[in-house]
Amino acid sequence: MKKIIIAIDGYSSCGKSTLAKQLAAKLNYVFVDSGAMYRAIALYFLRNQIDINNELQVSDALKNISLQFEYNGKTGKSDILLNGENVEKEIREMSISNKVSEVAAIEAVRLFAVHQQQLMGEKKAIVMDGRDIGTTVFPNAELKIFVTASIDVRVQRRYLELQATQPNISLDEVKENLVMRDHIDSTREISPLKQAADAVVLDNTNLTREDQLQIALNWVNERTN
Ligand code: DC
């Protein structure tokens, strides 16, 4: 079967990673969570007190950042390593969620991340999820999926996910963060979140995980046969 690039974009917490992970497992493709890269960069900036308005500080900091993915058999996805340290858990914390969109809006940060993402796609057979994958990272991807879901469903899903590790979190806090990130992500100057003209839309508000996988697999089949 022909190997393709699958680009999955959409708003925060609409199930992009879940779908990407399902597809990668089914097709034996590599799954890359591009958001983890921006989160790891935000973590480095926070830890090292980088002033994001200082271009020199930002470019110097990027020179000291090395990002890698390492497969985790327990979760079935890859953990991100920041300069060799597994930071998968830390990057999901609220302190990072509150900072990451600002960091991801910086041009130098995007150039740094997009370049690495494009290298990962050279051999195809990859599913990458994010905000600009179908528009900027892989404008020629054979399959582009734009995932959507109602805000209430997205908040609920994120809340349940975060409860496991951050039991003190409130629904309001989760909603505020999602709305804030969606706003920054879709209104930034450089490669904002938007649906690629040739993307297919998948609204999973009322779909089970199995339903959404089946729909996406049908699209894959149409493009690989
Ligand atoms: O997918 P996520 O929620 O973990 O992504 C974290 C942030 O990173 C998100 O608010 C926007 C940014 N991001 C981006 O700008 N471009 C991408 N391709 C992926 C994520």
Side-chain angles (χ1 to χ4, degrees), residues 30 45 49 52 64 86 91 93 105 142 154 156 165 200:
V30 172
F45 283 12
Q49 295 168 359
I52 60 170
N64 292 320
N86 189 324
I91 59 162
E93 283 174 12
E142 289 84 353
R154 293 195 283 129
Q156 190 65 32
T165 50
V200 281

Side-chain angles (χ1 to χ4, degrees), residues 130-171:
R131 305 293 188 289
D132 61 338
I133 311 304
T135 52
T136 304
V137 180
F138 299 126
N140 298 321
E142 289 84 353
L143 174 59
K144 300 179 185 177
I145 304 177
F146 192 82
V147 186
T148 64
S150 75
I151 180 73
D152 289 343
V153 163
R154 293 195 283 129
V155 169
Q156 190 65 32
R157 286 179 189 155
R158 187 59 143 211
Y159 176 70
L160 290 177
E161 196 179 285
L162 288 174
Q163 276 276 303
T165 50
Q166 297 164 66
N168 294 329
I169 209 127
S170 72
L171 260 180

Side-chain angles (χ1 to χ4, degrees), residues 12 16 33-36 38-39 92 100-101 104 110 117 129-133 158 181 185 188:
S12 293
K16 302 179 299 291
D33 169 3
S34 69
Y38 293 100
R39 286 174 179 271
R92 309 289 162 194
V100 62
S101 286
R110 299 210 72 81
Q117 291 154 7
D129 83 294
R131 305 293 188 289
D132 61 338
I133 311 304
R158 187 59 143 211
R181 284 201 287 140
D185 296 342
R188 69 178 174 230

